[in-house]
Amino acid sequence: MSALFLLQQCLIGLTNGGLIALVALGYTMVYGVLRFINFAHGDLIMLGACAALGLVAPLGLAATGGPPSLATWLGIVAMVLLCGLFCGGLNVAVDRFVYRPLREAPALAPLVSAIGVSFIFMNIGLAWIGPADRGFPQVVPAASLLPGNGVQFGWKDLLVLVVAMPLIVGTMLLMRTTRLGKAVRAVAQDRTAAALMGIDVDRMVATTFFLAGFLGGAASVIAGLYTNTISYQMGFQNGLYAMTAAVLGGLGSIRGAVAGGFVVGLVRALSTAYAGERWTGAIVFAVLIVVLAFRPEGLLGHRVKEKV
Amino acid sequence: MAAAWKWISQRWEVVALALLAVAPLFVPALGGALGGQVTTLFIYCILALGLNVMVGYTGLLHLGIAAFFGIGAYVVAILTVPLFPFQIGWLAAAAVSIAVTAGVGFALGGPVLKLRGDALAIVTLAFGEVVKVTLRNLEQVTGGMKGLNPVPPPGAGVTVAGTDLGLAFAVDPRWFYYLALAALAGVVWAMRRLENSRLGRAWAAVREDEPAAAALGISATQVKLSAFAMSAAVAALAGCLYAATLSTTADPNAYDFNRSILVLCAVILGGLGSIPGTLLGVAILVGFDTVLIPAADSLIQQLSGAADRSSLLSLASWRLAIFGLALVLVMRYRPAGLIPSRRLAAEWGRGGR
Amino acid sequence: MGARRAMRTRPVASAADIPLLDIDRVSMRFGSLVAVSDLDLDVPERQVVSLIGPDGAGKTTVCNCVSGICSPTSGSVRFHGHRLTQTFGPRVFWMAMGIGLLVGLLTAAAAVDVDRLWLAVVKRGMVLDEPFTFDTVRRRLRSYFRGELAIDQLAGKWRVVTADGRDVLAIRRDYADAVSLRNQLQAAVTARRAGPGTIPDASDMADAASPSQPQASLPDEVLDRLAAGKARVRIRGWAGLVAGWVLGAAGTIAIWKRGRRSPHAVARAGIARTFQQPRLFPEMTVLENVLVGLDRTIPGGAIALLLGTRGHRRGEEEARRRAQEALSLVGLEGDAERIAGGLSLAGRRRLEIARALATGATLILLDEPTAGLEAEEVDAVIDLIGQIKQRGSAVLVTGDSIDPLARISDRMAVLEQGVKIAEGSPAEMKRHRRVIEITTGVPS
């Protein structure tokens, strides 16, 4: 258990974390504006992965062993964009037809509907790719970029960081600096007040759903290329870790979701390495409980005082 | 006539209990496979009533009820199977199991009670997953994927009038039917009692307006913890019955998210916080799964001809979607469920808070 | 009745010089906004004190600070001379220690591997056909934590295994063979563990004395590993125990700390309040609403009420009687079975007051009880306040004008933008120039 081994695990944690953070952002953004956890997000990503699998051949991608060519990179970018648009569009449609009629309903209603939507998605995925695990072509090889046998950092890991990091940073900047981000944040703070200020609330909510879906679509491409298997049940596991990350970081907080994603990724990698993969879930959960016992609002969330 | 109807509708539990109690005398099928299915239905009803304490009465969304169900089943199994040296009777084991599971509920509740509703839902969901995986991993304790068996029937070793009760259970499934029915009746009675007691009022008060309840000296922490523990205890009772009926704990996947969600859907569909609603919801969902889908599929097969065996053309392959669609539609058009409770009908009917 | 109850729970501190409620230099800031600054206000027993000020003067914030919904940024609120914060006492300490110990035992079990512990302590007894008693369990536990070797059975053959069942060292057909082999190996491991030249402990001496040929020996590295096994399992166990204990105790204290000045503790001490916008439990009946306020007077928890114990039944009946009494005081006795959400605003206010009264509080905070009411309804509320005072409770009431409240107030204080600008008898306030300006909005 040398320092090199630890470093290796941290690198794995970083790549894992990037993927988890990307998904967690989708949860936390929707939570921010509508105060409910979009349970179907994990399964949306599963559908995105199905779409990505369908796009492999049309985009001229194929399994290779060598370093990816420029055409491969371009193909991957196109795949990220297309899957992003697909998931974003799907998310907006679901918002329009399922969640929007429930804006004034009690808090439980949208959440339960989201569980329903997640079932529908799962069934679509089942019909799309069948009940068995499907292999996803190894478009990007796992071969290490670094010389020697000490620390492995493969093309795949690079891919995750190259796709996830710009999106994560971009989302954070978008929400913090642009007018769109400000409008979305205004809606998140107080929907009625934002509406009175002339912000089109429904459009902002739809925008949020689109952004969340887009990030989810990108995540689905990475998930496919990185793990090389997809199944109609992958949404639940992916979603569970990402939801944990969102809660850990503080629901509704963009920075919190990113931080939570990396913490969960790191904990996952370290516990897989040191305690065995079968205990990973339990250890991540234990970390979550410990953090929540001390900070119920999450790592970077802020305390919300009830209005009286 | 009207008076008689009123009498019946007010005491529907008693009427239903009486009907179900005499049913095996007139429906011999209840002594066979059908009896087993109905027993399972009763067990699900108990589980749903347990969940109803949290979701319906206290308003805390709980997505991991199957974990408590599983813990209940496994503790009973550990204490009774011949593999381990404990081998105490089923009844004593069930008591221990209920107490242990209530303790687990308490322990989970403590650190997470301050969370807002959705975060709590995620934590309970994750808890359910962790319990399932832990049950799978602890191979020496829980038998891993094989589960623990055989769980001896309740009453094994107890001899009444020359017959071993355990043998009676093993021979005639109607014993299980009556055991589950008695447990269900007991739980319904207890829930009725709780609903209209100080605890029931405190649960409702915390659900409806937590700050106002606190201003009256109600400790939301204690109230929610009691809901956690009560819910876990009832779920554990269901788990004990489940293990006894199957005479095995089955594998840990039997206690996964899908089961939690099935029960949650039953509670929501039937009517949150309403006992008849919950029971009806379970009956509909389980009936849908075990009766309606196979029946509809055989019908479709007949219509489309045996040659066409496309799996897309059977309801079974769209089961999840039908489920999901039902949830979405119920939330949209009848958010308080089919038989809403008096309290929640008003709350949800108003729209918003 | 209310006062009697409260006195039983909290003896009144030495009489007159300590006011019932003592708001001492309380400031409350929300970020840069100062809602209340340096407020001093006393509410003596059995008196009505009103706090007057225009909207946004900080009246509700004062109520929130007193009732524990917010903690003042600075200053203190004392009730009967005590701060309403739960103090860190031995009860909390022992609770934290106990929970910490429980968590510690759990983490320790997880750290030494529950599965193998179970195998060594519970299951192996079944193999050897040993009874499951306290003694055998203790012996096997000790053996596990010493990293000793054990006998196991698989498919009719006897195996010499490590205590945790991880390594199988030898397989024998005959039980006696396996036992003697186990004893030899154990002696070797113990010797290796103790280092050369030391005497193995008594049990190993006895084992070593049994006459048997040396049948097997283990390679050095295996011996080393087995010898180290004891240290490993002990270090893991202790580390798990300590880590769990610390985390559990700290977590318990963190959770306790968050609730130490919570509104329910304040309410239990004897301060009840109403809200500016009445906060009822709209889906309960009127009677049930009041019964929630009487919750603590009903003895017995879940078990007692399921069994229907006598104490609980009596408590429930008594509570219903008192709830009816409170309802008739506010004039809602005819509406007991109505759903609370259906009441008019005046009815909701009255119900809220009845609910607060039912808790038996010695101090009742009424946050703008007259806002939005018709003139005669206002009069009724004022009369009600007078009745509350007669029943022995003190009242702190807020409002936005002097007039209706002057009739029953013993003292009045006026707030403007969080600062108290005047305090005195109603008559004084009616003459106070600035007060008139503020409350009427007309500069004089």
Side-chain angles (χ1 to χ4, degrees), chain A residues 31 35-37 39 98 101-102 104-109 111-113 115-117 119-120 122-123 127 236-237 240 243 247 251 278-279 281-282 285 288-289 292-293 296 306, chain B residues 61 63 111-112 114-116 118-119 122-123 125-127 129-130 133-134 137-138 211 257 261 268 272 312 317-321 323-325 327-328 331-332 348 351-353:
Chain A
Y31 185 85
R35 304 275 144 201
F36 87 96
I37 290 186
F39 214 88
V98 179
L102 300 175
E104 300 306 320
L108 222 54
L111 183 67
V112 175
S113 297
I115 295 176
V117 173
F119 279 144
I120 297 176
M122 225 197 276
N123 213 152
F236 182 66
Q237 280 301 324
L240 193 56
M243 281 191 268
V247 172
L251 267 176
R278 56 192 199 138
W279 294 111
F285 181 71
L288 174 73
I289 290 290
L292 290 180
E306 183 113 16
Chain B
L61 188 57
L63 299 179
V112 301
K114 288 280 166 182
L115 300 185
R116 278 169 281 155
D118 300 59
I122 300 305
V123 172
L125 168 65
F127 175 76
E129 272 308 285
V130 167
V133 173
T134 306
N137 287 347
L138 293 179
F257 176 64
I261 279 299
I268 289 171
L272 279 171
L312 291 184
S317 60
W318 293 102
R319 175 180 163 270
L320 277 175
F323 229 70
L325 200 62
L327 274 187
V328 171
M331 280 297 113
R332 178 90 163 80
W348 289 60
R353 55 225 84 183

Side-chain angles (χ1 to χ4, degrees), chain C residues 260-325:
Chain C
R260 63 189 300 200
R261 204 194 130 74
S262 56
H264 81 263
V266 174
R268 287 181 182 189
I271 301 180
R273 72 169 289 179
T274 67
F275 296 87
Q276 202 170 351
Q277 295 289 326
R279 299 186 78 146
L280 300 173
F281 308 117
E283 284 75 43
M284 296 191 198
T285 64
V286 169
L287 184 70
E288 283 172 330
N289 259 279
V290 184
L291 283 173
V292 173
L294 284 158
D295 186 68
R296 274 172 312 128
T297 65
I298 307 170
I303 308 280
L305 70 88
L306 279 182
L307 295 176
T309 59
R310 201 131 164 231
H312 175 263
R313 269 209 322 272
R314 279 211 191 129
E316 181 85 24
E317 280 161 21
E318 171 71 9
R320 279 177 190 272
R321 199 183 54 70
R322 281 166 61 174
Q324 283 291 357
E325 200 180 287

